[in-house]
Amino acid sequence: MKTRLSNPIGFTPLPVTIISTLVYTTLFVALLVTHIVVPSAPSSRTPIAHVNLTEAWLDLQYISGGFHPYNSRRNDETRDWLLERIERILAENVKKGLMFDRSKYLHDAQFRASIAKQNPAVVFSDMTSNATFSFEGRKTNETSKSEPGVSVYFEGTNIIVYIRGSEDGDEDWWNTGQEPPEKGGVLVNAHYDSVSTGYGATDDGVGVVTILQLIKYFTSEGRKPKRGIIALFNNGEENYLNGAQAFRKHRLSKFPKTFLNLEGAGAGGRAVMFRSTDTEVTKAYQKSRYPFASVLSNDAFKRGIIKSETDYHVFTERLGLRGLDVAFFEPRARYHTDRDDARHTSIDSIWHMLSAAIPTMEALSSSDKDSSDSEGSVAVWFDLLGQILAVFKLHTLFALSLALLVVTPLILIIIGAVLYRLDRLYIFSRKRQVQHDESNESVLLHGWKGFFQYPFLVLLSSAAVIGLAFLVIKLNPYIVYSSPYAVWSMMLSAWVFVAWFVSCAADFLRPSALTRLYSLLWLFSVSWMILVVVTVLERRQNIAGGYFLVFYFAAVFIATSIAFLELFGLPRKSDYADEVSPSDGGNPSRRSHSISSGSRLARSSEDHQRPDNNNEEQPAGEDDRATETTSLLRNDRPTTFAHYRHRDQDTNDDQVNNESKERKVYLGEQAWSWSLPTWAWVLQFLLLSVIPIILTGEIALFLTSSVHQTLADGSSIMLPYFAIAFFAILLLIPVSPFIHRYTYHIPVFLLLIFTGTIIYNLLAFPFSANNRLKVYFSQVVDLDTGMNTVSLTGIKGGSFLQDIAASIPSTAGQEITCIDSTVRTGLQQCSWHGLPPRTVPSPPPHLGIPPPFGYADWLSFNMSRTTNTTRNEVDITLYGKNTRACKIEFDTPISDFDVEGAASEARSEKVPKDGSKEIRLWSRTWEKPWHVKVRWGNQGQPFPVGMKKQQQRRQGLNGNVVCLWSNANDPGLIPALDEAWKFVPAWVAISKAKDGLVEGSKRFLI
């Protein structure tokens, strides 16, 4: 016993419990620290030469000092500030002086070619690029046909800085009509607008200040890039990627071949590299100081699982560029709310994005490869604990997957065949025949014991976890919104306890030395089938997100191979049978020295139960003493789940050879198992746990953070719970082949954790001041009647939304109407008559004035059919006060339109194939009159020959003209929003539901 306890890595309860617990604790802590803790920014103001973190932090303070959506005065102020900030940076770095004429570039978007030529940087204040584009509507459920889409006309106000590369030459090709340099350059992009309810600190203020520091870095002495860099500050990203669409029309858009897009969808935290076009550009991110990346999100975007988009979409789909998408992604509850501010981010987050952007841009701009000649290969990428980025081709992963599928079963079959030839294949062996002179005899090997234990263990423990997911979804479905780690703790602790209890019960009833091997064999078989699916997806769908399952399977295979190799340490089945089989009247005279020189065999009681006449009860006395033929275990029965059962060797030196050693069998397991290595389990466990848990855990945490607060967006309630359940099982599978050796201490402790967390998860309020439920505000005013409706859109479950609406004083005494939202799928919209807005400087003097006199002049329009007799066509003139955003909505889809002043575009570019239900108009100037010509019916083509004029004119057109107001910086402009912000509960966050916080509409009939 002393020898057994002194083995610190023996396959005994104490070492198994301690080692596995320490490994899991270490890995889980490392994963959580990597995921949650942002690397600290250096204490130095200039951690990198020519980069100033203090400046970046102060710049962020200004940018996030107010709401600055495109349709706000603050947006113009932000733009002017950016131009001044760029001017100061370049003035400090460029010794030749300024490279632009401020009086000209601010107003005319032009610059003097003589000044720009040969300068290291040129600023373009783009006030001329306009874009007309469209996007498809949602697919209908019945057919593959889409609903009518949306058309957009947008006037851009982007700021572009060109940093000349050493290989670009000195010519100002954009000004002479020449083609850009053949090798092209690199684009780095961020948008400087915010939403109307968010300050835009991380969406996308951090991206903006990062690019300002990149300009400073690459225009400093000795930092000139090899390929030119385009730094784009686009305006209007929050409104359907308008700014990037406008950049397509600028002459500099032909220059870049690769890009880095900087974005934000959270508030602080780490910036994740979540999309890439190919392997080659992904490798540029490898030099990041703290890489944080997952290819899983790339697959989700490609498969349409994630519906939202970034400027990455425009750069890849419309410009054909290759590049990367890097963004902050959590907590999503602060995204597009008043907590997307500098207070809820940090200089550490700025440093994390900046420290990744600089080496990435250096790598992209110094590449010698002609990036225009190749689309690149599909990439697989992931980080390891935020320290190393692994990048390789999907073809490589596919080759590895295919090789594992083919080779690994063959290797196990070969090992099994060798064991069979050596007569050491104990698995699936029930008994062994022994021939004597007098008769044949069977010796029980019990090789099937333990075979069915593992599937029951996994099925029951996994069923418990899945059942918990259903239970929480039924009773408190939104608890994951604020407490995802409580859900994780509940499921992890439940799985471990159930698995331990089932395994110990099975091991008590039918103990087997082959339990671990059979567990690994089952695990190998199931993971092999999963790998088949992963490999098919890699080949047919270019899905790279299953990489962790490939490495998971490889670890399972190696651990299983080691378990098979352990069998080589066992005696031959024939030798074992000969030694334990009695001969000559039941006296075991044979002793096989091939088993172990000079040693005696320890046999369990089951191995001695044979139909012979030597089992008669013997009287107590001298014959009861241990002899060399007495079983070392005798007929002792186990009394607990966790103790060895053995007898010390006979101390009689006359009966024991000096070279013999004690044979120890665990708890009545098969007697032949005494020679199995006691240390091999450690190697198996480390193989199964370290790499698989790191890879799986990183994806699990990333996925949890990405989806657990998307419930407020209308996402499925089941997704976060079943994602956690699935990954909890995957994370704990590595310990399952060893859990039958656990002591009771850890499982009982986890049972207590489970008890506490399930009570919390079922009873706790699901939202908090730090994890606020996001609801979406909108106010619609009928400018003809003066009636206005305020709406909050939010989750359907429970009465949360109704309670929030009821907390607002102006709803008192009103009937709050709640219906399914037509704007945000999966949510409901509750509406009531709201406080009148004052977004136009001349509000009604008092509420007694009839509404038409107060609101009618906010929006003016005129419509008239054209004299064109070959098609349905109407001229629309539209004008809105104190706004630069309007739209025209149609009851039936239109087929074509033209906006006065817009560049000529193909009809397929302006209108989707199923027509447009809406034209959105965005102007760079305030209170601009819009002149729009709209065509409908017959796909905008001339009427068929012979159609009567009366029939042509019967095709009317009805709809609404709408203008938008989005400024919430000044209290009192939108009293209904001010009231909501003031009176909603502390666990509620307000975000915008539409492009405009207030939308005023008038009806038209043609």
Side-chain angles (χ1 to χ4, degrees):
M1 181 63 71
K2 180 182 292 187
T3 302
R4 187 65 54 90
L5 292 176
S6 64
N7 186 355
I9 58 173
F11 193 47
T12 57
L14 196 58
V16 170
T17 304
I18 293 175
I19 292 175
S20 60
T21 301
L22 287 176
V23 169
Y24 263 91
T25 301
T26 302
L27 292 175
F28 279 11
V29 169
L31 287 168
L32 288 171
V33 168
T34 301
H35 185 79
I36 297 174
V37 179
V38 183
S40 299
S43 57
S44 172
R45 290 182 55 194
T46 56
I48 300 175
H50 313 296
V51 170
N52 193 311
L53 275 179
T54 303
E55 283 184 0
W57 179 246
L58 294 175
D59 289 344
L60 184 64
Q61 305 296 314
Y62 179 85
I63 292 173
S64 60
F67 308 123
H68 47 284
Y70 182 88
N71 189 26
S72 70
R73 307 284 180 176
R74 173 78 184 191
N75 183 271
D76 293 337
E77 296 171 6
T78 302
R79 186 177 193 277
D80 291 342
W81 176 86
L82 271 175
L83 287 168
E84 293 174 358
R85 186 74 184 91
I86 294 169
E87 177 182 346
R88 291 198 302 270
I89 291 173
L90 296 178
E92 293 173 2
N93 286 355
V94 181
K95 296 181 180 180
K96 290 183 179 181
L98 300 182
M99 67 297 297
F100 48 78
D101 184 339
R102 179 173 174 76
S103 62
K104 294 183 67 63
Y105 95 98
L106 277 177
H107 302 289
D108 300 331
Q110 300 294 330
F111 49 86
R112 299 175 185 169
S114 60
I115 296 177
K117 189 173 183 179
Q118 297 185 3
N119 270 305
V122 182
V123 179
F124 296 78
S125 176
D126 183 14
M127 300 292 282
T128 59
S129 296
N130 305 328
T132 305
F133 58 95
S134 63
F135 46 91
E136 300 281 348
R138 293 178 297 183
K139 295 288 185 180
T140 59
N141 295 328
E142 294 78 11
T143 65
S144 59
K145 185 177 180 180
S146 298
E147 296 178 357
V150 174
S151 298
V152 180
Y153 171 74
F154 178 78
E155 297 179 353
T157 58
N158 296 337
I159 300 173
I160 309 169
V161 180
Y162 167 58
I163 303 173
R164 196 185 301 271
S166 60
E167 295 185 351
D168 291 353
D170 295 331
E171 294 298 322
D172 297 334
W173 49 266
W174 58 85
N175 203 42
T176 61
Q178 298 176 348
E179 290 297 315
E182 185 177 355
K183 286 189 175 181
V186 184
L187 169 70
V188 58
N189 171 75
H191 65 90
Y192 67 85
D193 63 309
S194 72
V195 294
S196 52
T197 54
Y199 295 107
T202 53
D203 185 22
D204 188 19
V206 177
V208 171
V209 301
T210 296
I211 296 183
L212 288 175
Q213 291 300 310
L214 288 173
I215 293 173
K216 183 174 183 177
Y217 180 82
F218 284 105
T219 57
S220 298
E221 186 176 357
R223 296 294 182 181
K224 189 174 185 178
K226 190 174 182 179
R227 294 187 177 188
I229 292 175
I230 299 292
L232 172 61
F233 301 90
N234 86 70
N235 192 14
E237 187 273 349
E238 297 293 357
N239 308 113
Y240 308 97
L241 316 179
N242 293 345
Q245 294 283 2
F247 175 71
R248 291 193 301 116
K249 302 300 180 179
H250 195 275
R251 52 193 176 275
L252 284 182
S253 65
K254 298 179 181 179
F255 175 64
K257 302 299 181 183
T258 57
F259 71 90
L260 172 64
N261 185 51
L262 304 177
E263 254 291 0
R270 292 181 183 233
V272 61
M273 197 276 284
F274 65 101
R275 273 201 288 186
S276 174
T277 55
D278 56 78
T279 308
E280 288 72 21
V281 297
T282 308
K283 288 181 179 179
Y285 183 77
Q286 273 186 311
K287 296 182 180 180
S288 171
R289 294 196 178 194
Y290 312 103
F292 192 62
S294 174
V295 72
L296 185 69
S297 53
N298 195 55
D299 291 335
F301 273 99
K302 286 195 298 185
R303 306 310 303 169
I305 298 173
I306 300 177
K307 304 298 183 182
S308 60
E309 272 297 352
T310 68
D311 292 327
Y312 176 99
H313 173 77
V314 177
F315 298 146
T316 55
E317 300 299 323
R318 305 305 297 272
L319 289 176
L321 306 183
R322 300 162 54 207
L324 310 170
D325 215 353
V326 177
F328 299 98
F329 70 104
E330 65 169 340
R332 194 168 177 83
R334 295 174 183 169
Y335 177 57
H336 285 182
T337 73
D338 57 351
R339 287 194 181 174
D340 183 12
D341 56 6
R343 179 182 178 184
H344 291 92
T345 187
S346 68
I347 196 170
D348 297 336
S349 294
I350 295 178
W351 172 241
H352 189 261
M353 177 172 276
L354 181 58
S355 64
I358 290 176
T360 301
M361 289 298 296
E362 285 184 320
L364 291 175
S365 61
S366 63
S367 174
D368 292 324
K369 296 182 179 179
D370 188 351
S371 55
S372 62
D373 293 340
S374 173
E375 293 183 356
S377 58
V378 180
V380 182
W381 71 85
F382 52 89
D383 71 279
L384 292 173
L385 298 178
Q387 301 299 316
I388 301 173
L389 183 73
V391 183
F392 49 90
K393 296 180 180 180
L394 180 60
H395 293 310
T396 303
L397 183 67
F398 173 73
L400 175 62
S401 303
L402 194 61
L404 288 172
L405 284 175
V406 175
V407 173
T408 54
L410 293 178
I411 292 176
L412 293 184
I413 290 173
I414 291 173
I415 296 174
V418 173
L419 287 168
Y420 181 80
R421 290 291 301 272
L422 296 176
D423 200 23
R424 287 183 169 90
L425 189 65
Y426 280 79
I427 58 173
F428 310 124
S429 298
R430 181 174 177 272
K431 58 185 178 180
R432 177 73 180 190
Q433 295 289 336
V434 179
Q435 294 183 354
H436 297 298
D437 294 338
E438 297 83 2
S439 62
N440 292 334
E441 188 177 4
S442 296
V443 174
L444 295 177
L445 300 177
H446 300 287
W448 278 93
K449 287 177 63 177
F451 177 75
F452 295 103
Q453 175 179 324
Y454 190 72
F456 280 103
L457 180 154
V458 174
L459 288 175
L460 289 176
S461 54
S462 300
V465 169
I466 295 172
L468 287 172
F470 279 109
L471 179 65
V472 177
I473 290 172
K474 179 70 175 178
L475 300 180
N476 196 9
Y478 298 109
I479 189 62
V480 73
Y481 189 94
S482 62
S483 307
Y485 294 114
V487 178
W488 266 107
S489 300
M490 176 187 71
M491 293 188 175
L492 290 171
S493 57
W495 198 96
V496 171
F497 180 79
V498 173
W500 171 80
F501 185 83
V502 172
S503 66
C504 287
D507 196 56
F508 178 76
L509 296 173
R510 289 183 61 80
S512 173
L514 296 175
T515 297
R516 177 160 38 102
L517 191 153
Y518 278 133
S519 298
L520 291 169
L521 199 56
W522 276 105
L523 191 54
F524 174 85
S525 302
V526 174
S527 57
W528 187 89
M529 290 185 286
I530 294 175
L531 184 60
V532 171
V533 177
V534 171
T535 306
V536 171
L537 292 176
E538 291 169 356
R539 180 65 176 175
R540 296 186 177 180
Q541 304 294 332
N542 282 340
I543 299 298
Y547 69 88
F548 69 101
L549 294 171
V550 178
F551 292 102
Y552 205 117
F553 172 79
V556 170
F557 161 69
I558 298 174
T560 307
S561 300
I562 293 173
F564 269 80
L565 294 175
E566 287 184 79
L567 299 182
F568 284 99
L570 294 175
R572 296 187 187 92
K573 291 187 288 185
S574 59
D575 293 340
Y576 168 75
D578 287 344
E579 180 155 345
V580 302
S581 174
S583 59
D584 298 334
N587 296 319
S589 60
R590 304 185 187 184
R591 301 188 58 190
S592 174
H593 294 280
S594 63
I595 298 177
S596 180
S597 176
S599 62
R600 291 173 297 183
L601 183 68
R603 291 176 288 166
S604 67
S605 58
E606 295 181 82
D607 294 323
H608 296 279
Q609 295 174 3
R610 287 182 300 274
D612 54 33
N613 297 322
N614 298 315
N615 291 329
E616 296 180 8
E617 184 175 342
Q618 300 293 327
E622 186 175 348
D623 293 336
D624 192 48
R625 291 176 298 176
T627 69
E628 106 177 348
T629 61
T630 304
S631 170
L632 295 177
L633 298 180
R634 295 192 177 183
N635 290 322
D636 297 336
R637 295 296 300 167
T639 58
T640 71
F641 289 159
H643 293 87
Y644 274 101
R645 188 177 69 170
H646 70 276
R647 294 279 185 177
D648 291 336
Q649 287 180 299
D650 194 323
T651 57
N652 190 340
D653 292 338
D654 295 333
Q655 298 181 4
V656 182
N657 189 290
N658 291 331
E659 297 179 358
S660 67
K661 61 183 179 180
E662 181 184 22
R663 298 178 182 178
K664 303 168 185 178
V665 178
Y666 184 85
L667 276 181
E669 293 177 348
Q670 296 92 330
W672 42 259
S673 65
W674 66 270
S675 60
L676 285 174
T678 60
W679 54 266
W681 78 272
V682 178
L683 183 58
Q684 292 171 324
F685 175 71
L686 292 177
L687 285 168
L688 281 175
S689 59
V690 178
I691 297 299
I693 288 176
I694 290 175
L695 297 182
T696 305
E698 288 181 333
I699 288 182
L701 291 174
F702 175 72
L703 185 61
T704 301
S705 295
S706 299
V707 305
H708 79 102
Q709 291 182 333
T710 59
L711 305 179
D713 302 327
S715 298
S716 170
I717 293 177
M718 292 188 175
L719 177 60
Y721 289 101
F722 288 111
I724 293 175
F726 172 74
F727 281 102
I729 295 169
L730 283 183
L731 287 171
L732 293 173
I733 283 293
V735 80
S736 56
F738 317 96
I739 201 168
H740 62 288
R741 284 289 199 268
Y742 256 46
T743 65
Y744 68 88
H745 303 87
I746 297 298
V748 170
F749 173 72
L750 291 177
L751 177 62
L752 296 177
I753 292 179
F754 167 74
T755 303
T757 52
I758 192 173
I759 293 173
Y760 175 85
N761 289 331
L762 294 179
L763 301 180
F765 189 72
F767 311 109
S768 67
N770 289 325
N771 296 277
R772 300 182 300 169
L773 172 63
K774 194 186 300 182
V775 296
Y776 303 91
F777 173 92
S778 68
Q779 185 168 17
V780 177
V781 181
D782 187 328
L783 299 178
D784 290 320
T785 65
M787 298 297 294
N788 81 85
T789 302
V790 174
S791 300
L792 288 180
T793 302
I795 56 177
K796 289 183 177 181
S799 61
F800 298 108
L801 189 60
Q802 291 86 341
D803 294 341
I804 295 169
S807 69
I808 299 175
S810 64
T811 63
Q814 294 194 53
E815 180 181 356
I816 301 174
T817 304
C818 296
I819 60 173
D820 287 345
S821 174
T822 58
V823 178
R824 294 180 176 269
T825 305
L827 301 179
Q828 65 175 334
Q829 176 180 299
C830 292
S831 306
W832 62 93
H833 181 70
L835 301 176
R838 297 183 175 89
T839 54
V840 175
S842 56
H846 55 81
L847 298 179
I849 291 184
F853 293 97
Y855 297 112
D857 62 345
W858 285 21
L859 185 159
S860 303
F861 74 98
N862 181 57
M863 295 188 177
S864 61
R865 278 185 179 269
T866 65
T867 57
N868 191 331
T869 59
T870 63
R871 67 188 73 194
N872 284 315
E873 189 175 72
V874 63
D875 282 330
I876 304 175
T877 301
L878 175 62
Y879 165 80
K881 285 188 175 182
N882 198 33
T883 185
R884 55 180 178 184
C886 295
K887 59 183 178 179
I888 309 171
E889 300 173 338
F890 306 99
D891 295 347
T892 55
I894 64 167
S895 54
D896 197 7
F897 74 98
D898 293 308
V899 178
E900 185 180 83
S904 177
E905 298 278 3
R907 190 176 70 87
S908 59
E909 183 82 6
K910 297 185 292 183
V911 179
K913 62 181 180 179
D914 295 306
S916 283
K917 63 181 179 181
E918 185 177 320
I919 301 174
R920 294 173 179 170
L921 305 167
W922 301 86
S923 170
R924 68 174 57 91
T925 58
W926 291 89
E927 300 186 350
K928 173 183 177 178
W930 297 98
H931 301 283
V932 185
K933 186 170 290 187
V934 176
R935 290 175 284 279
W936 72 98
N938 199 37
Q939 297 299 310
Q941 301 301 316
F943 293 116
V945 177
M947 177 179 283
K948 295 180 180 180
K949 187 173 182 179
Q950 185 177 7
Q951 292 176 314
Q952 298 172 3
R953 292 289 183 175
R954 287 176 183 171
Q955 298 181 2
L957 186 66
N958 305 329
N960 300 290
V961 290
V962 184
C963 281
L964 286 57
W965 291 269
S966 308
N967 182 20
N969 286 296
D970 301 321
L973 293 180
I974 310 176
L977 179 60
D978 297 338
E979 182 186 39
W981 266 326
K982 183 176 181 179
F983 290 103
V984 295
W987 48 269
V988 176
I990 303 291
S991 185
K992 58 104 179 178
K994 302 178 180 179
D995 293 338
L997 292 172
V998 176
E999 297 190 355
S1001 66
K1002 290 185 177 182
R1003 185 74 177 165
F1004 69 83
L1005 304 173
I1006 300 176

